Amino acid sequence: MGLHFLVATEPPKIVPELTCTTGKGGHYRGTIAVTKSGKSCQSWTSQTPHKHNRTPENFPCKGLVENYCRNPDDEKATWCYTTDPETRWEYCNVPNCRYQPAAEDCMHCTGEDYRGKISITESGHTCQRWDSQKPHQHDYVLSILPEMNLEENYCRNPDGQPRPWCYTTDPSKRWEFCSIPRCTTEPPKIVPELTCTTGKGRHYRGTIAVTNSGKSCQSWTSQTPHKHSRIPGNYPSEGLVENYCRNPDDEKALWCYTTEPETRWEYCNVPNCRNQPAAEDCMTCRGEDYRGKISITESGHTCQRWDSQTPHKHDYVLSM
């Protein structure tokens, strides 16, 4: 028999499938690393708890990196060894490209208006139905939040998270974010409120940057003194600029993190549009003749009563 040599050419190129599979999933190169029943995958380079020969060296073109679900040996679907000593391997719950969401099944901003039908989390867990209390009990039900469209087991964002999520059917994994593609179209326009708020203040884009108690607001791009996830990258449509009071996560009113290490956050004192002064409540010249009823400063501080000497002592009293 003649000698056989490895040919020093590149292997055939594949088009990696990153979010879904076609056929048996041999081209899948995504990052789902959990089986259909919710077990974590064992790393392909590990021999614990299960010894095997599906290693990157033996299958050099099969994308056996980390512990991601793969199909190196032409099984009927993507799979992995598990970290459960009692379960050697299982198939994975990777979506099939034929059943991928339509182009319009996408999200704007933080996905609070998302009404699509994706029902698998970013690591491959199947979502628990919103009308079920098993395996996880919760209060996010359609009867309490009818406007959030909590149907079936579809990913939703009912509570101001950075993106849609769901409870999972894995008893050991209560909830997880979903991988919802971002829409390529422009998000719905809002009419920014610059001097006052309506409702919970989601549309406020003014410049008040002080809390109810007078504390200065921390910049949304800063992690000092308080670390947080309410950053412009996570809430791209919520106007998180400078340190201005905002409501990115559907709190009951506008708020901000404070610059005081002992106080993480507080609500802000932004006037409500329903209680705004009438058109005639205005000033001429320097306002020395102003007799209106505005009692909040330009940065949101509540005015001290003129007949009070607390917290500031002064001589500007009615009797003088």
Side-chain angles (χ1 to χ4, degrees):
M1 294 179 64
L3 295 177
H4 294 274
F5 297 94
L6 289 176
V7 180
T9 58
E10 289 293 315
K13 297 290 185 183
I14 71 164
V15 178
E17 298 165 345
L18 300 177
T19 61
C20 58
T21 67
T22 56
K24 297 179 178 180
H27 292 178
Y28 176 68
R29 296 296 183 269
T31 57
I32 288 177
V34 66
T35 70
K36 281 187 173 180
S37 69
K39 294 180 172 63
S40 296
C41 293
Q42 175 181 315
S43 173
W44 296 102
T45 60
S46 173
Q47 296 293 320
T48 306
H50 306 290
K51 293 186 181 294
H52 64 93
N53 64 359
R54 268 58 171 176
T55 63
E57 293 76 21
N58 290 339
F59 294 82
C61 300
K62 298 299 181 178
L64 301 183
V65 294
E66 303 291 340
N67 64 332
Y68 304 142
C69 297
R70 294 292 185 262
N71 188 6
D73 51 0
D74 204 34
E75 275 286 337
K76 67 179 182 180
T78 54
W79 63 277
C80 69
Y81 297 105
T82 87
T83 54
D84 178 0
E86 303 302 315
T87 305
R88 181 167 172 79
W89 70 278
E90 280 186 342
Y91 290 115
C92 295
N93 203 7
V94 180
N96 189 294
C97 296
R98 290 179 298 177
Y99 307 116
Q100 285 297 283
E104 64 272 15
D105 195 350
C106 58
M107 74 173 192
H108 284 116
C109 303
T110 56
E112 62 268 30
D113 296 324
Y114 174 71
R115 297 297 181 267
K117 295 185 177 182
I118 292 175
S119 59
I120 296 176
T121 72
E122 59 188 0
S123 70
H125 290 284
T126 298
C127 293
Q128 175 181 316
R129 288 181 60 92
W130 295 101
D131 58 3
S132 172
Q133 297 294 319
K134 292 181 181 180
H136 306 290
Q137 293 191 330
H138 62 92
D139 296 325
Y140 292 101
V141 294
L142 189 61
S143 60
I144 297 176
L145 297 167
E147 73 282 4
M148 298 314 299
N149 199 235
L150 300 177
E151 296 180 337
E152 304 289 340
N153 64 334
Y154 304 141
C155 301
R156 293 291 182 262
N157 188 3
D159 60 347
Q161 291 289 338
R163 58 189 191 277
W165 58 277
C166 68
Y167 297 105
T168 86
T169 52
D170 178 0
S172 64
K173 185 72 173 180
R174 181 166 172 79
W175 72 276
E176 196 171 52
F177 287 120
C178 301
S179 291
I180 312 293
R182 288 202 174 275
C183 299
T184 57
T185 55
E186 287 292 316
K189 297 292 184 183
I190 70 165
V191 178
E193 299 164 346
L194 300 177
T195 61
C196 59
T197 70
T198 56
K200 296 180 179 180
R202 292 291 295 274
H203 293 176
Y204 177 70
R205 296 296 183 269
T207 58
I208 287 178
V210 66
T211 70
N212 278 343
S213 68
K215 296 178 176 64
S216 295
C217 293
Q218 176 181 314
S219 172
W220 297 102
T221 59
S222 173
Q223 296 294 318
T224 305
H226 306 290
K227 292 186 181 295
H228 63 94
S229 63
R230 269 60 174 174
I231 59 176
N234 287 341
Y235 295 83
S237 302
E238 302 300 331
L240 301 184
V241 294
E242 303 292 339
N243 64 333
Y244 304 143
C245 297
R246 294 291 186 262
N247 187 7
D249 52 358
D250 206 35
E251 272 288 334
K252 67 180 182 181
L254 290 153
W255 63 278
C256 69
Y257 297 104
T258 86
T259 54
E260 293 194 11
E262 302 304 315
T263 304
R264 181 167 173 80
W265 70 278
E266 281 186 341
Y267 290 115
C268 295
N269 202 6
V270 179
N272 190 293
C273 295
R274 291 177 298 180
N275 304 324
Q276 285 296 281
E280 62 272 16
D281 193 352
C282 56
M283 75 173 191
T284 57
C285 303
R286 295 179 299 166
E288 59 266 38
D289 296 325
Y290 175 71
R291 296 298 181 270
K293 296 184 178 181
I294 293 175
S295 59
I296 296 176
T297 72
E298 60 185 1
S299 67
H301 291 282
T302 300
C303 294
Q304 177 181 317
R305 288 179 60 92
W306 293 102
D307 58 2
S308 172
Q309 297 293 317
T310 304
H312 305 291
K313 293 192 176 183
H314 62 92
D315 298 325
Y316 293 99
V317 294
L318 188 61
S319 60
M320 296 179 66

